[in-house]
Amino acid sequence: MALTTNKAILEWVDSQVKMLQPDEVVWIDGSEEQLNALRKEAVSTGEMIELNQEKLPGCYLHRTATNDVARVEDRTFICTPTRKEAGPTNNWMDPEEMYAKLNALYDGAMKGRTMYVIPYSMSVVGSPFAKVGIEVTDSIYVVLNMVIMTRVGKNVLDVHGDNPEFIKGTHAKKDVNPEERYIVQFPQDNAICSVNSAYGGNVLLGKKCFALRIASYLGRNEGWMAEHMLILGIENPQGEIRYVTAAFPSACGKTNLAMLIPPEGYRKAGYKAWCVGDDIAWLRVGDDGRLWAVNPENGFFGVAPGTNEQSNPNALASTRKNTIFTNVCHNLDDNTVWWEKLDKNPPTNAIDWTGKPWNGSVDKTNGAHPNSRFTAPAINCPCISSEFNNPQGVPISAIIFGGRRAKTAPLVYQSFDWNHGVFVGSIMASETTAAAAGAVGVVRRDPMAMLPFCGYNMGDYFGHWIEMGKKIPHQPKIFNVNWFRTDDEGNFIWPGFGDNMRVLEWILKRAFDEIDAVETEIGYMPRPEDINIEGLDDVTLDTMKELLSVDKEYWKEDVENIKEFYAKFDEFDTLPQELKDQLAALEKRLG
Ligand code: GTP
Ligand code: SPV
Ligand code: MN
């Protein structure tokens, strides 16, 4: 039975039923009863495996098809009336042509199946900044993940009333044929279409498709920003909490930094860290002239491999109940889960992520897929911020960009000002990871970590950043970090994880004008002795000198590469003059 009398929603759901022709339509009201029935059904069909309910209460395992394990950027489209609006970095197709293609794929796609109608809110239900979406899907896995990742249920519709505005999301699993897989955004229509996938970012339409691609488009029109950023609060011994956001590309450390545990010396002194978000931030200028951030999500869709008691105990703790694991290794001995680097004892009697028997003591293959994930409720996180459900969000003092760079980028530097900071974000580059299908470890430019997520012309997106700067009387300072510098043997030099607190301390001091810096060609930098290395065994002042060194030859090479990247925007001439000037100034400083 429909859970609303909202005409616009009912009409749209009707149109979906006509097209997809499901046998049955079920509205998701968000009740535990209904969800429990769905869990039972998914277990009975083998879609999900119920894990050891003593060790992992409320936890389930799901395996996707082996060809459906990551976002598919080459099959992701922004369909705007003109190619110029989508810009040179997005795949584009004429909306009419794309709708025709999708309608053919969707025609009767749910025959013999049930269509679930998921009403959900991104951000706190009914808050002035929340936005409502309806996703229809034929996958229980999608329903149960959306319930964790967003705010789902009848109350969303009740609060929404007759409001005709909502984001339409259509997902049909079909037979997950990669040749006919499409992830499509129609920004002008507030519509998202996904077909032939059942994996994460491709099908949990509230996440990348809505909260980044569609929201970035809305943000530009409405004067706010949707960014691929974590939100973190650092509490000092005086009890004052200062907040930062950080944009790193997929699988480059957002969840880890967002849940950081300060090193022992800091904890003893009284420092604490609070997680507000680990992947997406919606940013607005507050009445007080500061930039405020909310996390529109309600859970974490985090990378499992590498998560352990040392690297990220808060993430691990978050996954101990009411969590869905996707494509991890199934330990048959005690019906639990395992992934690479969870501990040094891989199970010997297990099923790997592909569904085959696996023995960790002899098999050289991965037990878990490198992009295997956990979907965990945010409230599970021991360090979740008390502001997590504050509809106003938190005020941001620093914006941090970063990526995986073996050599070029130093551990940390600060931009000279806002526009230079936008430039620093626009020239971000990082080695690709398993979060997206395709080659891993190739350096590519990924401005603001938004290359796969910007819902319109990225040149205009840079322009929006510059315009926003003018509207923020108390601008956050902008920084760049690189946790991934390597030595000649390819080992990471910086210990990373909790020790990143040492770099955050410098960043926050700079944000509040509490410490001087060295002016260099690329920006302001700490003196090597300005980063606290007390208690670190393997890091000396010489290590810090190396981590903070800037090789001008690498940077001159980088400038050539940036020019090539920027040249992409010549076609529609959307690159702001401010960024062209910044690049020329950098080249001049490098000599
Ligand atoms: P998405 O969810 O894809 O957006 O990824 P993310 O940015 O949240 O990345 P996440 O924190 O899950 O980290 C991904 C990988 O980077 C994991 O394998 C981590 O172990 C590794 N990693 C994270 N932080 C650090 C760090 O400070 N140093 C090093 N060397 N590795 C790190
Ligand atoms: C990312 O790839 O940046 C993720 C995972 O956070 S997904 O939801 O698949 O996009
Ligand atoms: Mn992400």
Side-chain angles (χ1 to χ4, degrees), residues 558-573:
D558 223 37
V559 165
E560 292 313 309
N561 187 274
I562 297 164
K563 282 184 189 164
E564 257 173 60
F565 178 67
Y566 272 8
K568 285 189 180 192
F569 296 91
D570 287 349
E571 187 183 359
F572 302 115
D573 196 21

Side-chain angles (χ1 to χ4, degrees), residues 333-447:
D333 278 338
D334 62 352
N335 190 23
T336 58
V337 288
W338 188 85
W339 49 75
E340 274 61 31
K341 296 205 196 140
L342 171 64
D343 53 40
K344 293 196 174 90
N345 311 305
T348 51
N349 174 27
I351 302 288
D352 73 5
W353 68 274
T354 69
K356 291 205 189 73
W358 188 80
N359 179 342
S361 65
V362 291
D363 288 323
K364 295 280 165 268
T365 52
N366 283 331
H369 187 273
N371 190 40
S372 57
R373 301 243 168 191
F374 53 81
T375 316
I379 48 162
N380 279 5
C381 183
C383 63
I384 196 73
S385 163
S386 59
E387 304 304 302
F388 174 72
N389 278 315
N390 182 342
Q392 300 300 326
V394 293
I396 299 303
S397 302
I399 293 173
I400 305 170
F401 294 122
R404 288 177 188 261
R405 292 308 294 273
K407 297 284 175 226
T408 314
L411 182 62
V412 60
Y413 68 99
Q414 181 190 357
S415 70
F416 294 119
D417 55 31
W418 180 271
N419 279 2
H420 180 235
V422 176
F423 171 71
V424 168
S426 80
I427 66 167
M428 262 173 69
S430 192
E431 295 163 20
T432 51
T433 66
V440 168
V442 184
V443 174
R444 71 166 182 187
R445 307 238 77 100
D446 186 354

Side-chain angles (χ1 to χ4, degrees), residues 5-276:
T5 53
N6 181 307
K7 226 175 123 219
I9 293 178
L10 288 177
E11 275 175 17
W12 178 74
V13 171
D14 262 354
S15 72
Q16 301 301 293
V17 172
K18 285 209 179 76
M19 175 175 73
L20 296 157
Q21 299 165 40
D23 280 14
E24 217 188 315
V25 178
V26 172
W27 288 68
I28 301 299
D29 59 22
S31 69
E32 262 317 294
E33 260 166 277
Q34 186 185 39
L35 297 176
N36 266 334
L38 289 174
R39 289 179 191 118
K40 256 201 186 125
E41 185 180 337
V43 169
S44 76
T45 60
E47 188 177 352
M48 294 204 312
I49 296 165
E50 187 176 63
L51 294 166
N52 184 325
Q53 294 298 298
E54 260 156 49
K55 292 189 173 169
L56 297 167
C59 292
Y60 296 84
L61 168 64
H62 172 79
R63 281 190 288 269
T64 64
T66 53
N67 66 19
D68 190 25
V69 293
R71 285 181 295 99
V72 279
E73 296 181 1
D74 58 330
R75 310 205 61 89
T76 300
F77 287 77
I78 302 294
C79 293
T80 43
T82 63
R83 204 166 77 78
K84 179 181 177 186
E85 288 162 273
T89 61
N90 281 315
N91 298 314
W92 175 85
M93 202 185 281
D94 176 70
E96 252 176 67
E97 196 183 333
M98 182 56 95
Y99 275 125
K101 197 185 263 295
L102 289 168
N103 289 346
L105 288 169
Y106 282 144
D107 187 26
M110 291 189 190
K111 270 187 192 158
R113 302 175 63 79
T114 299
M115 180 173 106
Y116 301 96
V117 183
I118 314 172
Y120 66 98
S121 170
M122 298 311 290
S123 191
V124 179
V125 178
S127 91
F129 308 134
K131 291 200 182 278
V132 164
I134 309 283
E135 175 167 356
V136 298
T137 178
D138 54 356
S139 157
I140 296 181
Y141 170 77
V142 167
V143 172
L144 296 175
N145 274 273
M146 285 293 285
V147 164
I148 300 173
M149 293 306 298
T150 73
R151 281 114 172 148
V152 167
K154 182 165 183 305
N155 63 333
V156 174
L157 294 167
D158 291 346
V159 170
H160 203 55
D162 295 333
N163 188 339
E165 264 175 52
F166 66 101
I167 306 297
K168 308 164 181 123
T170 308
H171 167 244
K173 187 173 171 183
K174 301 259 293 187
D175 52 4
V176 295
N177 175 3
E179 311 287 317
E180 298 283 1
R181 187 172 294 159
Y182 289 96
I183 317 300
V184 187
Q185 284 69 206
F186 299 93
Q188 277 87 351
D189 301 345
N190 282 331
I192 303 158
C193 294
S194 164
V195 65
N196 272 309
S197 175
Y199 181 80
N202 297 335
V203 297
L204 309 179
L205 301 185
K207 195 172 179 56
K208 296 309 182 7
C209 302
F210 173 174
L212 286 179
R213 297 195 189 100
I214 298 284
S216 62
Y217 173 85
L218 295 174
R220 182 184 179 224
N221 294 339
E222 298 168 3
W224 54 283
M225 304 160 95
E227 298 294 335
H228 193 198
M229 289 175 171
L230 66 92
I231 310 167
L232 166 68
I234 298 291
E235 180 173 341
N236 66 22
Q238 292 76 46
E240 178 203 5
I241 307 180
R242 298 171 168 182
Y243 294 92
V244 305
T245 61
F248 308 154
S250 302
C252 288
K254 286 183 302 300
T255 302
N256 278 274
L257 189 66
M259 298 181 189
L260 144 155
I261 295 182
E264 198 186 345
Y266 284 85
R267 291 202 306 275
K268 283 203 172 133
Y271 282 93
K272 293 180 184 132
W274 302 108
C275 173
V276 182

